[in-house]
Amino acid sequence: MNRDQFLKTTTGLLALTGWTGLQAAASGGRPAASPRIPPHLRPGQVIGITCPAGYITAEEIAPAVSLLESWGFVVKTGQTLGARDYTFGGTDAERAGDFQRFLDDPQVHAILCARGGYGAVRIIDRLNWERFVRHPKWILGFSDITVFHAHLNRRLGIASLHCKMCNSFPVDWAAADAVQADSILSIRRALTGERLHYEVASNPFNRPGTASGILVGGNLKTLESLSATPSDLATAGKILFLEDTGEYAYSIDRMFWHLRRSGKLAGLRGLILGGFRIKTDADTEDFGRSLEQIVLDQVKRYRYPVCFDFPVGHQKNNFALKCGVLHRLEVGAAGCRLTELR
């Protein structure tokens, strides 16, 4: 290849993938240290709702649609609302196609995943991110949607929003308690550009310290399933938050062993543990170790701050967190603070 051909090829690649995509490709899928933040939303802009994982009906998302519209946004629902392929919100092709339309639609400024469950990993490799890289938009959700958060951080260097989805909105907003309402209002604060700040009560197992870094994380089991894939989350130099539900204590222990042995705990700036609903039944032997003991045993060789009981996860107090955005974590005797810094 001569010089002119090389320059033409390089120029074409820049136009095709965008500078962030080229950086990711050049660094083995590790984007630049400062991910791009999608534009925040203004009243009148469009939020698309789609089902990349489990199924949900249009009637079930109606309370979420109503509330989003009351905030001044326009809601556009995808073709997968009400579609069903067993547990999924439509076939893989239907879910990928619906998500792709919202990725490519210039009139859609944010994509809210209607619910989690399982299915995002089945479509992630079908998606074309070229237009999204040129014109990023917020992708919202948690649990199985951790697949997208990890992929955007590792491959594309674009921030996303870990938060409740449509199936967590109350049927009657007036009857919602303060915690439920505030956790949902945190979505509006995040989307409209407010810098998020949370203060959490002290846990006796917390490890004190202060650290700053890009915030990444999500559902522990989902993150484990992404290991050694193109979406595998890079954690070095970052603040990692984790949550999970419906796992036995021994399974949590095994997953933390995996994090340690794969090097994901070694280079952290800080570690945040959210809700962990540990499964028990009469046929399971007592594992004999609490979540706190499991975690602290794996991080005892490291010096970064650790915060337990953060309000994120499969629970009512599941507050919005901006993945891929710089934060400061402060853990002390009085409690824990997490502050967005960008």
Side-chain angles (χ1 to χ4, degrees), residues 48-50 76 78 98-105 111 137:
I49 300 179
T50 182
K76 183 175 183 178
D98 208 35
F99 204 86
Q100 188 71 59
R101 280 187 287 274
F102 281 163
L103 286 176
D104 295 343
D105 188 342
I111 303 173
K137 58 190 72 177

Side-chain angles (χ1 to χ4, degrees), residues 112-189:
L112 172 59
C113 300
R115 60 157 295 180
Y118 168 66
V121 74
R122 296 173 61 95
I123 69 170
I124 189 70
D125 295 325
R126 293 173 177 247
L127 299 174
N128 184 315
W129 300 92
E130 293 174 9
R131 293 186 185 180
F132 176 83
V133 168
R134 292 198 294 267
H135 303 286
K137 58 190 72 177
W138 290 100
I139 294 178
L140 292 73
F142 82 109
S143 190
D144 189 61
I145 309 308
T146 296
V147 172
F148 294 131
H149 297 312
H151 191 84
L152 264 62
N153 187 267
R154 180 64 183 265
R155 306 301 304 182
L156 306 179
I158 295 174
S160 55
L161 189 61
H162 184 279
C163 66
K164 287 185 172 181
M165 297 172 285
C166 295
N167 59 333
S168 298
F169 280 59
V171 174
D172 182 1
W173 179 253
D177 64 39
V179 171
Q180 185 180 28
D182 196 31
S183 64
I184 292 174
L185 290 173
S186 71
I187 300 172
R188 180 172 67 174
R189 294 195 291 269

Side-chain angles (χ1 to χ4, degrees), residues 68-80:
L68 294 171
E69 290 176 341
S70 77
W71 294 348
F73 300 122
V74 176
V75 174
K76 183 175 183 178
T77 55
Q79 297 174 10
T80 50

Side-chain angles (χ1 to χ4, degrees), residues 240-251:
L240 175 66
F241 72 93
L242 299 169
E243 62 82 25
D244 217 322
T245 187
E247 297 288 343
Y248 291 107
Y250 75 84
S251 182

